[in-house]
Amino acid sequence: MSQLEYTLEKLAEQIEQLASQSKWDELIALEPTLRELVQATIAQTSEDDKPQLIATLTRLRSIYADAVQHAGSNRSESAQELTSVRRSLKAAQSYLNTSKF
């Protein structure tokens, strides 16, 4: 596991914790960091590390899907932002699933 993948995994844990605590503003604040880290990790992921990255992105997408569902009943603006992040993660995962490294 590369340093970027390790960092992405730690960020996933932090996001999961914030979502479970309904800390929507803090979760939204992490969005730019998450996007940059996902892009950097995809760019540097080898074929051997691809399955782990896909698993991490799948987990992140699941966390965000749950957060969107809960935030939607609390704050529509947060839900829209979380939906945007979830779509970005899905697109990144789709890219990884179809790309040739």
Side-chain angles (χ1 to χ4, degrees):
M1 179 181 289
S2 73
Q3 181 62 34
L4 284 174
E5 288 175 282
Y6 176 77
T7 304
L8 185 61
E9 188 65 35
K10 288 298 179 189
L11 187 59
E13 291 171 10
Q14 184 179 4
I15 289 168
E16 192 169 32
Q17 183 178 22
L18 290 172
S20 71
Q21 296 171 354
S22 300
K23 294 185 176 181
W24 311 123
D25 292 335
E26 292 177 42
L27 193 59
I28 296 301
L30 286 178
E31 184 267 334
T33 303
L34 176 62
R35 284 180 194 252
E36 289 175 17
L37 188 55
V38 166
Q39 289 174 354
T41 304
I42 288 172
Q44 295 184 13
T45 299
S46 68
E47 187 66 32
D48 292 338
D49 293 333
K50 188 175 172 182
Q52 176 63 36
L53 181 56
I54 290 171
T56 301
L57 290 174
T58 300
R59 181 170 157 232
L60 279 167
R61 193 175 66 187
S62 174
I63 293 166
Y64 269 95
D66 290 343
V68 167
Q69 184 178 14
H70 291 101
S73 62
N74 295 321
R75 300 174 73 178
S76 63
E77 183 178 312
S78 293
Q80 290 172 353
E81 289 292 328
L82 291 170
T83 299
S84 172
V85 171
R86 185 177 50 140
R87 285 184 188 132
S88 294
L89 290 169
K90 185 176 180 179
Q93 183 178 357
S94 177
Y95 169 78
L96 281 173
N97 287 336
T98 60
S99 70
K100 305 269 185 202
F101 283 95

Coordinates of all heavy atoms in Angstrom, one line a residue:
M1 N 0.9 -1.2 0.0 CA 0.0 0.0 0.0 C 0.9 1.2 0.0 O 1.8 1.4 0.8 CB -0.9 0.0 1.2 CG -1.8 1.2 1.3 SD -2.9 1.2 2.8 CE -4.0 -0.1 2.4
S2 N 0.6 2.1 -0.9 CA 1.4 3.3 -1.0 C 1.0 4.3 0.1 O 0.0 4.2 0.7 CB 1.2 4.0 -2.4 OG -0.1 4.6 -2.4
Q3 N 1.9 5.3 0.3 CA 1.6 6.4 1.3 C 0.3 7.1 1.0 O -0.5 7.4 1.9 CB 2.7 7.4 1.3 CG 2.5 8.5 2.4 CD 2.5 7.9 3.8 OE1 3.1 7.0 4.2 NE2 1.7 8.6 4.6
L4 N 0.0 7.3 -0.3 CA -1.2 8.0 -0.7 C -2.4 7.1 -0.4 O -3.4 7.6 0.1 CB -1.2 8.4 -2.2 CG -0.4 9.6 -2.6 CD1 -0.4 9.8 -4.1 CD2 -0.9 10.8 -1.9
E5 N -2.3 5.8 -0.6 CA -3.4 4.9 -0.3 C -3.6 4.8 1.2 O -4.8 4.8 1.6 CB -3.2 3.6 -0.9 CG -3.3 3.5 -2.4 CD -2.9 2.2 -3.0 OE1 -1.7 1.9 -3.1 OE2 -3.8 1.4 -3.3
Y6 N -2.6 4.8 1.9 CA -2.7 4.8 3.4 C -3.4 6.1 3.9 O -4.3 6.0 4.7 CB -1.3 4.7 4.0 CG -1.3 4.7 5.5 CD1 -1.7 3.6 6.3 CD2 -0.9 5.9 6.2 CE1 -1.7 3.7 7.6 CE2 -1.0 6.0 7.6 CZ -1.3 4.9 8.3 OH -1.4 4.9 9.7
T7 N -3.0 7.2 3.3 CA -3.6 8.5 3.7 C -5.1 8.5 3.3 O -5.9 8.9 4.1 CB -2.9 9.7 3.0 OG1 -1.5 9.6 3.4 CG2 -3.4 11.0 3.4
L8 N -5.4 7.9 2.2 CA -6.8 7.9 1.7 C -7.6 7.0 2.7 O -8.7 7.3 3.0 CB -6.9 7.3 0.3 CG -8.2 7.3 -0.4 CD1 -8.9 8.7 -0.4 CD2 -8.2 6.7 -1.7
E9 N -7.0 5.9 3.1 CA -7.7 5.0 4.0 C -7.9 5.7 5.4 O -9.0 5.5 6.0 CB -6.8 3.7 4.2 CG -7.5 2.6 5.0 CD -8.7 2.0 4.4 OE1 -8.7 1.9 3.1 OE2 -9.7 1.7 5.1
K10 N -6.9 6.4 5.9 CA -7.1 7.2 7.1 C -8.2 8.2 7.0 O -9.0 8.5 7.9 CB -5.8 7.8 7.5 CG -4.8 6.8 8.1 CD -5.3 6.1 9.3 CE -4.4 5.1 9.8 NZ -5.0 4.3 10.9
L11 N -8.2 8.9 5.8 CA -9.3 9.9 5.6 C -10.6 9.2 5.5 O -11.6 9.8 6.0 CB -9.0 10.7 4.3 CG -9.9 11.8 4.0 CD1 -9.8 12.9 5.1 CD2 -9.5 12.5 2.6
A12 N -10.7 8.0 5.0 CA -12.0 7.3 4.9 C -12.5 7.0 6.3 O -13.7 7.1 6.6 CB -11.8 6.0 4.1
E13 N -11.5 6.6 7.2 CA -11.9 6.4 8.6 C -12.4 7.7 9.3 O -13.4 7.6 10.0 CB -10.7 5.8 9.4 CG -10.3 4.5 9.0 CD -9.0 4.0 9.6 OE1 -8.5 4.7 10.5 OE2 -8.5 2.9 9.2
Q14 N -11.8 8.8 9.0 CA -12.2 10.1 9.6 C -13.6 10.4 9.0 O -14.4 10.9 9.8 CB -11.2 11.1 9.2 CG -11.5 12.5 9.9 CD -10.4 13.5 9.5 OE1 -9.5 13.3 8.8 NE2 -10.6 14.7 10.1
I15 N -13.8 10.3 7.8 CA -15.1 10.6 7.2 C -16.2 9.7 7.7 O -17.3 10.2 8.1 CB -15.0 10.4 5.6 CG1 -14.2 11.5 5.0 CG2 -16.4 10.4 5.0 CD1 -13.8 11.3 3.6
E16 N -15.9 8.4 7.9 CA -16.9 7.5 8.5 C -17.2 7.9 9.9 O -18.4 7.9 10.3 CB -16.3 6.1 8.5 CG -17.3 5.0 8.8 CD -16.7 3.6 8.6 OE1 -15.5 3.4 8.7 OE2 -17.5 2.8 8.2
Q17 N -16.2 8.4 10.7 CA -16.5 8.8 12.0 C -17.4 10.1 12.0 O -18.3 10.2 12.8 CB -15.2 9.1 12.8 CG -15.4 9.5 14.2 CD -14.0 9.7 14.9 OE1 -13.0 9.9 14.3 NE2 -14.0 9.6 16.2
L18 N -17.0 11.0 11.2 CA -17.8 12.3 11.1 C -19.2 12.0 10.7 O -20.2 12.6 11.2 CB -17.1 13.3 10.2 CG -15.8 13.9 10.6 CD1 -15.2 14.7 9.5 CD2 -16.0 14.7 11.9
A19 N -19.4 11.1 9.7 CA -20.8 10.8 9.3 C -21.6 10.1 10.4 O -22.7 10.4 10.6 CB -20.7 9.9 8.0
S20 N -20.9 9.2 11.1 CA -21.6 8.5 12.2 C -22.0 9.5 13.3 O -23.0 9.3 14.0 CB -20.8 7.4 12.8 OG -19.7 7.9 13.5
Q21 N -21.3 10.6 13.4 CA -21.6 11.6 14.5 C -22.4 12.8 13.9 O -22.6 13.7 14.6 CB -20.3 12.1 15.0 CG -19.5 11.1 15.8 CD -18.1 11.6 16.1 OE1 -17.7 12.7 15.8 NE2 -17.3 10.8 16.9
S22 N -22.9 12.7 12.7 CA -23.7 13.7 12.0 C -23.0 15.1 12.0 O -23.7 16.1 12.1 CB -25.1 13.8 12.7 OG -25.7 12.6 12.6
K23 N -21.7 15.1 11.8 CA -21.0 16.3 11.8 C -20.8 16.7 10.3 O -19.8 16.6 9.7 CB -19.6 16.2 12.4 CG -19.7 15.9 13.9 CD -18.4 15.9 14.6 CE -18.5 15.8 16.1 NZ -17.2 15.8 16.8
W24 N -22.0 17.2 9.7 CA -22.1 17.5 8.3 C -21.1 18.6 7.8 O -20.5 18.5 6.8 CB -23.5 17.8 7.9 CG -24.5 16.8 8.5 CD1 -25.5 17.1 9.3 CD2 -24.5 15.4 8.3 NE1 -26.2 15.9 9.6 CE2 -25.6 14.8 9.1 CE3 -23.7 14.5 7.6 CZ2 -25.9 13.5 9.1 CZ3 -24.0 13.1 7.7 CH2 -25.1 12.6 8.4
D25 N -21.0 19.6 8.6 CA -20.2 20.8 8.2 C -18.7 20.3 8.1 O -18.0 20.7 7.2 CB -20.3 22.0 9.2 CG -21.7 22.6 9.1 OD1 -22.3 22.5 8.0 OD2 -22.1 23.2 10.0
E26 N -18.3 19.5 9.1 CA -16.9 19.1 9.1 C -16.7 18.1 7.9 O -15.6 18.1 7.3 CB -16.5 18.4 10.4 CG -16.5 19.4 11.6 CD -16.2 18.7 12.9 OE1 -15.3 17.8 12.9 OE2 -16.8 19.0 13.9
L27 N -17.7 17.3 7.6 CA -17.6 16.4 6.5 C -17.5 17.1 5.2 O -16.7 16.8 4.3 CB -18.8 15.5 6.5 CG -18.8 14.2 5.7 CD1 -17.7 13.3 6.0 CD2 -20.2 13.5 5.8
I28 N -18.3 18.1 5.0 CA -18.2 18.9 3.8 C -16.9 19.6 3.7 O -16.3 19.7 2.6 CB -19.4 20.0 3.8 CG1 -20.7 19.3 3.7 CG2 -19.2 20.9 2.6 CD1 -20.9 18.4 2.6
A29 N -16.3 20.1 4.8 CA -15.0 20.7 4.8 C -13.9 19.8 4.3 O -12.9 20.3 3.7 CB -14.7 21.3 6.2
L30 N -14.0 18.5 4.5 CA -13.0 17.6 4.0 C -13.1 17.3 2.5 O -12.2 16.7 1.9 CB -13.2 16.2 4.8 CG -12.7 16.2 6.2 CD1 -12.9 14.9 6.8 CD2 -11.2 16.6 6.3
E31 N -14.2 17.7 1.9 CA -14.4 17.3 0.5 C -13.3 17.7 -0.5 O -12.9 16.9 -1.3 CB -15.8 17.9 0.0 CG -16.2 17.6 -1.4 CD -15.8 18.6 -2.4 OE1 -15.6 19.8 -2.0 OE2 -15.6 18.2 -3.5
P32 N -12.8 19.0 -0.4 CA -11.7 19.3 -1.3 C -10.4 18.4 -1.1 O -9.8 18.0 -2.1 CB -11.4 20.8 -1.0 CG -12.6 21.3 -0.3 CD -13.2 20.1 0.4
T33 N -10.1 18.2 0.1 CA -9.0 17.3 0.4 C -9.2 15.9 -0.1 O -8.3 15.3 -0.7 CB -8.8 17.2 2.0 OG1 -8.6 18.5 2.5 CG2 -7.6 16.4 2.3
L34 N -10.4 15.4 0.0 CA -10.7 14.1 -0.5 C -10.6 14.0 -2.0 O -10.0 13.1 -2.5 CB -12.1 13.7 0.0 CG -12.6 12.3 -0.6 CD1 -11.7 11.2 -0.1 CD2 -14.1 12.1 -0.2
R35 N -11.1 15.0 -2.7 CA -11.1 15.0 -4.1 C -9.6 15.0 -4.6 O -9.2 14.2 -5.5 CB -11.8 16.2 -4.7 CG -13.3 16.0 -4.7 CD -14.0 17.3 -5.3 NE -15.4 17.3 -5.0 CZ -16.3 17.1 -5.9 NH1 -16.0 16.8 -7.2 NH2 -17.6 17.1 -5.6
E36 N -8.8 15.9 -4.0 CA -7.4 16.0 -4.4 C -6.7 14.7 -4.1 O -5.9 14.2 -5.0 CB -6.7 17.1 -3.7 CG -7.2 18.5 -4.1 CD -6.6 19.6 -3.3 OE1 -5.6 19.3 -2.6 OE2 -7.1 20.7 -3.3
L37 N -6.9 14.1 -3.0 CA -6.2 12.8 -2.6 C -6.7 11.7 -3.5 O -5.8 10.9 -3.9 CB -6.5 12.5 -1.2 CG -5.8 11.4 -0.6 CD1 -4.3 11.6 -0.7 CD2 -6.1 11.2 0.9
V38 N -8.0 11.6 -3.9 CA -8.4 10.5 -4.8 C -7.7 10.7 -6.1 O -7.2 9.7 -6.7 CB -10.0 10.6 -4.9 CG1 -10.4 9.7 -6.1 CG2 -10.6 10.1 -3.6
Q39 N -7.7 11.9 -6.7 CA -7.0 12.1 -7.9 C -5.6 11.8 -7.9 O -5.0 11.1 -8.8 CB -7.2 13.6 -8.4 CG -8.7 13.9 -8.8 CD -8.9 15.3 -9.1 OE1 -8.0 16.2 -8.9 NE2 -10.1 15.7 -9.6
A40 N -4.9 12.2 -6.9 CA -3.4 11.9 -6.8 C -3.2 10.4 -6.6 O -2.3 9.8 -7.2 CB -2.8 12.6 -5.6
T41 N -4.0 9.7 -5.8 CA -3.9 8.3 -5.6 C -4.1 7.5 -6.9 O -3.4 6.6 -7.2 CB -4.8 7.8 -4.5 OG1 -4.6 8.6 -3.3 CG2 -4.6 6.4 -4.2
I42 N -5.2 7.9 -7.6 CA -5.5 7.2 -8.9 C -4.3 7.4 -9.9 O -3.9 6.4 -10.5 CB -6.7 7.8 -9.6 CG1 -8.0 7.3 -8.8 CG2 -6.8 7.4 -11.0 CD1 -9.2 8.0 -9.2
A43 N -3.7 8.6 -9.9 CA -2.6 8.8 -10.8 C -1.3 8.0 -10.5 O -0.6 7.6 -11.4 CB -2.2 10.3 -10.8
Q44 N -1.2 7.6 -9.2 CA 0.0 6.9 -8.8 C -0.2 5.4 -8.4 O 0.7 4.8 -8.0 CB 0.6 7.6 -7.6 CG 1.1 9.0 -7.9 CD 1.8 9.7 -6.8 OE1 2.2 9.0 -5.8 NE2 2.0 11.0 -6.9
T45 N -1.4 4.9 -8.7 CA -1.7 3.6 -8.3 C -1.2 2.6 -9.3 O -1.5 2.7 -10.5 CB -3.2 3.4 -8.1 OG1 -3.6 4.2 -7.0 CG2 -3.6 1.9 -7.7
S46 N -0.5 1.6 -8.9 CA 0.0 0.5 -9.8 C -1.1 -0.5 -10.0 O -2.1 -0.5 -9.3 CB 1.2 -0.1 -9.2 OG 0.9 -0.9 -8.1
E47 N -1.0 -1.3 -11.0 CA -1.9 -2.4 -11.3 C -2.1 -3.3 -10.1 O -3.2 -3.7 -9.7 CB -1.5 -3.2 -12.5 CG -2.5 -4.2 -13.0 CD -3.8 -3.6 -13.5 OE1 -3.7 -2.5 -14.1 OE2 -4.9 -4.2 -13.3
D48 N -1.0 -3.6 -9.3 CA -1.1 -4.5 -8.2 C -1.9 -3.9 -7.0 O -2.5 -4.6 -6.3 CB 0.3 -4.8 -7.7 CG 1.1 -5.6 -8.6 OD1 0.5 -6.3 -9.5 OD2 2.4 -5.6 -8.5
D49 N -1.9 -2.5 -6.9 CA -2.6 -1.9 -5.8 C -4.0 -1.5 -6.2 O -4.8 -1.0 -5.4 CB -1.8 -0.6 -5.4 CG -0.5 -0.9 -4.7 OD1 -0.4 -2.0 -4.2 OD2 0.4 -0.1 -4.8
K50 N -4.4 -1.7 -7.4 CA -5.7 -1.3 -7.9 C -6.9 -1.9 -7.2 O -7.8 -1.2 -6.8 CB -5.8 -1.6 -9.4 CG -7.0 -1.1 -10.1 CD -7.0 -1.4 -11.6 CE -8.2 -1.0 -12.3 NZ -8.2 -1.4 -13.7
P51 N -6.9 -3.2 -6.8 CA -8.0 -3.8 -6.1 C -8.2 -3.1 -4.7 O -9.3 -2.9 -4.3 CB -7.6 -5.2 -5.9 CG -6.7 -5.5 -7.1 CD -5.9 -4.2 -7.3
Q52 N -7.1 -2.8 -4.0 CA -7.2 -2.1 -2.7 C -7.8 -0.7 -2.9 O -8.7 -0.3 -2.1 CB -5.9 -2.0 -2.0 CG -5.9 -1.3 -0.7 CD -6.8 -1.9 0.4 OE1 -6.9 -3.1 0.4 NE2 -7.5 -1.1 1.1
L53 N -7.4 0.0 -3.9 CA -7.9 1.3 -4.1 C -9.4 1.3 -4.5 O -10.2 2.1 -4.0 CB -7.2 2.0 -5.2 CG -7.6 3.5 -5.5 CD1 -7.6 4.3 -4.3 CD2 -6.7 4.1 -6.6
I54 N -9.8 0.3 -5.3 CA -11.2 0.1 -5.6 C -12.0 -0.1 -4.4 O -13.1 0.4 -4.2 CB -11.4 -0.9 -6.7 CG1 -10.8 -0.4 -8.0 CG2 -12.9 -1.3 -6.8 CD1 -10.8 -1.5 -9.1
A55 N -11.5 -1.0 -3.5 CA -12.2 -1.3 -2.2 C -12.4 -0.1 -1.4 O -13.4 0.2 -0.8 CB -11.4 -2.4 -1.5
T56 N -11.3 0.7 -1.3 CA -11.4 2.0 -0.5 C -12.4 2.9 -1.1 O -13.2 3.5 -0.4 CB -10.0 2.6 -0.4 OG1 -9.1 1.7 0.2 CG2 -10.0 3.9 0.4
L57 N -12.4 3.1 -2.4 CA -13.3 4.0 -3.1 C -14.8 3.5 -2.9 O -15.7 4.3 -2.7 CB -13.0 4.2 -4.5 CG -11.7 5.0 -4.8 CD1 -11.4 4.9 -6.3 CD2 -11.8 6.4 -4.3
T58 N -15.0 2.2 -3.0 CA -16.3 1.6 -2.8 C -16.8 1.9 -1.3 O -17.9 2.3 -1.1 CB -16.3 0.1 -3.0 OG1 -15.9 -0.1 -4.3 CG2 -17.6 -0.5 -2.8
R59 N -15.9 1.8 -0.4 CA -16.2 2.1 1.0 C -16.6 3.5 1.2 O -17.5 3.9 1.8 CB -15.0 1.7 1.9 CG -15.3 1.9 3.4 CD -14.2 1.3 4.2 NE -14.1 2.0 5.5 CZ -13.0 2.5 6.0 NH1 -11.9 2.4 5.4 NH2 -13.1 3.1 7.1
L60 N -15.8 4.4 0.6 CA -16.0 5.8 0.7 C -17.4 6.2 0.1 O -18.2 7.0 0.6 CB -14.9 6.6 0.0 CG -13.7 6.9 0.8 CD1 -12.6 7.4 -0.1 CD2 -13.9 7.9 1.9
R61 N -17.7 5.6 -1.1 CA -19.0 5.8 -1.7 C -20.1 5.4 -0.8 O -21.1 6.1 -0.7 CB -19.0 5.2 -3.1 CG -20.2 5.6 -3.9 CD -20.1 5.1 -5.3 NE -20.3 3.6 -5.2 CZ -20.2 2.8 -6.2 NH1 -19.9 3.2 -7.4 NH2 -20.4 1.5 -6.0
S62 N -19.9 4.3 -0.2 CA -21.0 3.7 0.7 C -21.2 4.7 1.9 O -22.3 5.0 2.3 CB -20.6 2.4 1.2 OG -21.5 1.9 2.2
I63 N -20.1 5.2 2.5 CA -20.2 6.1 3.6 C -20.9 7.3 3.2 O -21.8 7.8 3.9 CB -18.7 6.5 4.1 CG1 -18.1 5.2 4.7 CG2 -18.8 7.6 5.1 CD1 -16.6 5.4 4.9
Y64 N -20.5 7.9 2.0 CA -21.2 9.1 1.5 C -22.7 8.8 1.2 O -23.5 9.7 1.4 CB -20.5 9.7 0.3 CG -19.4 10.7 0.8 CD1 -18.1 10.3 0.9 CD2 -19.8 12.0 1.0 CE1 -17.2 11.2 1.4 CE2 -18.8 12.9 1.4 CZ -17.5 12.5 1.6 OH -16.6 13.4 2.0
A65 N -23.0 7.7 0.7 CA -24.4 7.4 0.4 C -25.2 7.4 1.7 O -26.3 7.9 1.7 CB -24.5 6.0 -0.3
D66 N -24.7 6.8 2.7 CA -25.3 6.8 4.0 C -25.5 8.2 4.6 O -26.5 8.6 5.1 CB -24.6 5.9 5.0 CG -24.7 4.4 4.7 OD1 -25.6 4.0 3.9 OD2 -23.9 3.7 5.3
A67 N -24.4 9.0 4.4 CA -24.4 10.3 4.9 C -25.4 11.2 4.2 O -26.1 12.0 4.8 CB -23.0 10.9 4.8
V68 N -25.5 11.0 2.9 CA -26.5 11.7 2.1 C -27.9 11.4 2.6 O -28.7 12.3 2.8 CB -26.4 11.4 0.6 CG1 -27.6 11.9 -0.2 CG2 -25.1 12.0 0.0
Q69 N -28.2 10.2 2.9 CA -29.5 9.8 3.3 C -29.8 10.4 4.7 O -30.9 11.0 4.8 CB -29.6 8.2 3.5 CG -30.9 7.7 3.9 CD -31.0 6.2 4.0 OE1 -29.9 5.6 4.0 NE2 -32.2 5.7 4.1
H70 N -28.9 10.4 5.6 CA -29.1 11.0 6.9 C -29.1 12.6 6.9 O -29.9 13.2 7.5 CB -28.1 10.5 7.9 CG -28.3 9.1 8.2 ND1 -27.5 8.1 7.7 CD2 -29.2 8.5 9.0 CE1 -27.9 7.0 8.1 NE2 -28.9 7.1 9.0
A71 N -28.2 13.1 6.1 CA -28.2 14.6 6.0 C -29.4 15.1 5.3 O -29.8 16.2 5.5 CB -26.9 15.0 5.3
G72 N -29.9 14.4 4.3 CA -31.1 14.8 3.6 C -32.2 15.2 4.5 O -32.9 16.2 4.2
S73 N -32.4 14.4 5.5 CA -33.5 14.8 6.4 C -33.2 15.9 7.3 O -34.0 16.5 7.9 CB -33.9 13.5 7.2 OG -32.8 13.1 8.0
N74 N -31.9 16.2 7.5 CA -31.5 17.3 8.4 C -31.1 18.6 7.6 O -31.6 19.6 8.0 CB -30.2 16.9 9.1 CG -30.5 15.7 10.1 OD1 -31.5 15.6 10.7 ND2 -29.6 14.8 10.2
R75 N -30.4 18.5 6.5 CA -29.9 19.7 5.9 C -29.8 19.4 4.4 O -28.9 18.7 3.9 CB -28.6 20.1 6.5 CG -28.7 20.4 7.9 CD -27.4 20.7 8.5 NE -26.9 22.0 8.1 CZ -25.8 22.5 8.5 NH1 -25.0 21.9 9.3 NH2 -25.5 23.7 8.1
S76 N -30.6 20.0 3.6 CA -30.6 19.7 2.2 C -29.4 20.2 1.5 O -28.9 19.6 0.6 CB -31.9 20.3 1.5 OG -31.8 21.7 1.6
E77 N -28.8 21.3 1.9 CA -27.6 21.8 1.3 C -26.4 20.8 1.5 O -25.7 20.5 0.6 CB -27.2 23.2 1.9 CG -25.9 23.8 1.2 CD -25.6 25.1 1.8 OE1 -26.5 26.0 1.9 OE2 -24.5 25.3 2.1
S78 N -26.3 20.3 2.7 CA -25.2 19.3 3.0 C -25.5 18.1 2.2 O -24.5 17.5 1.6 CB -25.2 19.0 4.5 OG -24.8 20.1 5.2
A79 N -26.7 17.7 2.0 CA -27.0 16.5 1.3 C -26.6 16.6 -0.2 O -26.1 15.7 -0.8 CB -28.5 16.2 1.4
Q80 N -26.8 17.8 -0.7 CA -26.4 18.1 -2.1 C -24.9 18.0 -2.3 O -24.4 17.4 -3.3 CB -27.0 19.4 -2.6 CG -28.5 19.5 -2.8 CD -29.0 20.9 -3.0 OE1 -28.2 21.8 -3.0 NE2 -30.3 21.0 -3.3
E81 N -24.2 18.6 -1.3 CA -22.7 18.5 -1.4 C -22.2 17.1 -1.3 O -21.3 16.6 -2.0 CB -22.1 19.4 -0.3 CG -22.2 20.8 -0.5 CD -21.4 21.3 -1.7 OE1 -20.4 20.8 -2.0 OE2 -21.9 22.3 -2.3
L82 N -22.8 16.3 -0.4 CA -22.4 14.9 -0.2 C -22.7 14.1 -1.4 O -22.0 13.2 -1.8 CB -23.1 14.3 1.0 CG -22.6 14.9 2.4 CD1 -23.5 14.4 3.5 CD2 -21.2 14.5 2.7
T83 N -23.9 14.4 -2.1 CA -24.2 13.7 -3.3 C -23.2 14.0 -4.4 O -22.8 13.1 -5.1 CB -25.6 14.1 -3.8 OG1 -26.6 13.8 -2.7 CG2 -26.0 13.4 -5.1
S84 N -22.7 15.2 -4.5 CA -21.7 15.6 -5.4 C -20.4 14.8 -5.2 O -19.8 14.3 -6.2 CB -21.4 17.1 -5.4 OG -20.3 17.4 -6.2
V85 N -20.0 14.6 -4.0 CA -18.8 13.9 -3.7 C -19.0 12.4 -4.0 O -18.1 11.8 -4.6 CB -18.4 14.0 -2.2 CG1 -17.3 13.1 -1.8 CG2 -18.0 15.5 -1.9
R86 N -20.2 11.9 -3.7 CA -20.5 10.5 -4.0 C -20.4 10.2 -5.5 O -19.8 9.2 -5.9 CB -21.8 10.1 -3.4 CG -22.2 8.6 -3.6 CD -23.5 8.3 -3.0 NE -24.5 9.2 -3.5 CZ -25.7 8.9 -3.8 NH1 -26.1 7.7 -3.7 NH2 -26.5 9.8 -4.3
R87 N -20.9 11.1 -6.3 CA -20.8 11.0 -7.7 C -19.4 11.0 -8.2 O -19.0 10.3 -9.1 CB -21.6 12.1 -8.4 CG -23.1 11.9 -8.3 CD -23.9 12.9 -9.1 NE -25.3 12.8 -8.9 CZ -26.1 13.8 -8.6 NH1 -25.6 15.0 -8.5 NH2 -27.3 13.6 -8.3
S88 N -18.6 11.9 -7.6 CA -17.2 12.0 -8.0 C -16.4 10.7 -7.7 O -15.6 10.2 -8.4 CB -16.5 13.1 -7.3 OG -17.0 14.4 -7.7
L89 N -16.7 10.1 -6.5 CA -16.1 8.9 -6.1 C -16.5 7.7 -7.0 O -15.7 6.9 -7.4 CB -16.5 8.5 -4.7 CG -15.8 9.4 -3.6 CD1 -16.4 9.2 -2.2 CD2 -14.3 9.2 -3.6
K90 N -17.8 7.7 -7.4 CA -18.3 6.7 -8.3 C -17.6 6.8 -9.7 O -17.2 5.8 -10.3 CB -19.8 6.9 -8.5 CG -20.4 5.8 -9.3 CD -21.9 5.9 -9.4 CE -22.5 4.8 -10.2 NZ -24.0 4.9 -10.3
A91 N -17.4 8.1 -10.1 CA -16.7 8.3 -11.4 C -15.3 7.8 -11.3 O -14.8 7.2 -12.3 CB -16.8 9.8 -11.8
A92 N -14.6 8.1 -10.2 CA -13.2 7.7 -10.0 C -13.1 6.2 -10.0 O -12.3 5.6 -10.7 CB -12.7 8.3 -8.8
Q93 N -14.1 5.5 -9.4 CA -14.1 4.1 -9.3 C -14.3 3.5 -10.7 O -13.7 2.5 -11.1 CB -15.1 3.6 -8.3 CG -15.0 2.0 -8.2 CD -16.0 1.5 -7.2 OE1 -16.7 2.3 -6.5 NE2 -16.1 0.2 -7.1
S94 N -15.3 4.1 -11.4 CA -15.6 3.6 -12.8 C -14.3 3.7 -13.6 O -14.0 2.9 -14.4 CB -16.7 4.4 -13.3 OG -17.0 4.1 -14.7
Y95 N -13.6 4.8 -13.5 CA -12.4 5.0 -14.3 C -11.4 3.9 -14.0 O -10.8 3.4 -14.9 CB -11.8 6.4 -13.9 CG -10.4 6.6 -14.5 CD1 -10.2 6.9 -15.8 CD2 -9.3 6.5 -13.7 CE1 -8.9 7.0 -16.3 CE2 -8.0 6.6 -14.1 CZ -7.8 6.9 -15.5 OH -6.6 7.0 -16.0
L96 N -11.2 3.6 -12.7 CA -10.3 2.6 -12.3 C -10.7 1.2 -12.8 O -9.9 0.4 -13.2 CB -10.2 2.5 -10.8 CG -9.3 3.6 -10.1 CD1 -9.4 3.5 -8.6 CD2 -7.9 3.4 -10.6
N97 N -12.0 1.0 -12.8 CA -12.5 -0.3 -13.3 C -12.2 -0.5 -14.8 O -12.1 -1.6 -15.3 CB -14.0 -0.5 -13.0 CG -14.2 -0.7 -11.5 OD1 -13.3 -1.2 -10.8 ND2 -15.4 -0.4 -11.1
T98 N -12.2 0.6 -15.5 CA -12.1 0.5 -17.0 C -10.7 0.9 -17.5 O -10.5 0.6 -18.7 CB -13.2 1.3 -17.7 OG1 -13.0 2.7 -17.3 CG2 -14.6 0.9 -17.3
S99 N -9.9 1.5 -16.7 CA -8.6 2.0 -17.2 C -7.6 0.9 -17.3 O -7.6 -0.1 -16.6 CB -8.1 3.1 -16.3 OG -7.7 2.6 -15.1
K100 N -6.6 1.1 -18.1 CA -5.5 0.2 -18.2 C -4.3 1.0 -17.7 O -3.9 2.0 -18.2 CB -5.2 -0.2 -19.7 CG -6.4 -0.8 -20.4 CD -6.4 -2.3 -20.2 CE -7.5 -2.8 -21.0 NZ -8.0 -4.1 -20.7
F101 N -3.7 0.4 -16.6 CA -2.5 1.1 -16.1 C -1.3 0.8 -16.9 O -1.0 -0.3 -17.4 CB -2.3 0.7 -14.6 CG -3.2 1.4 -13.7 CD1 -4.4 0.8 -13.3 CD2 -3.0 2.7 -13.2 CE1 -5.3 1.4 -12.5 CE2 -3.9 3.3 -12.4 CZ -5.0 2.6 -12.0

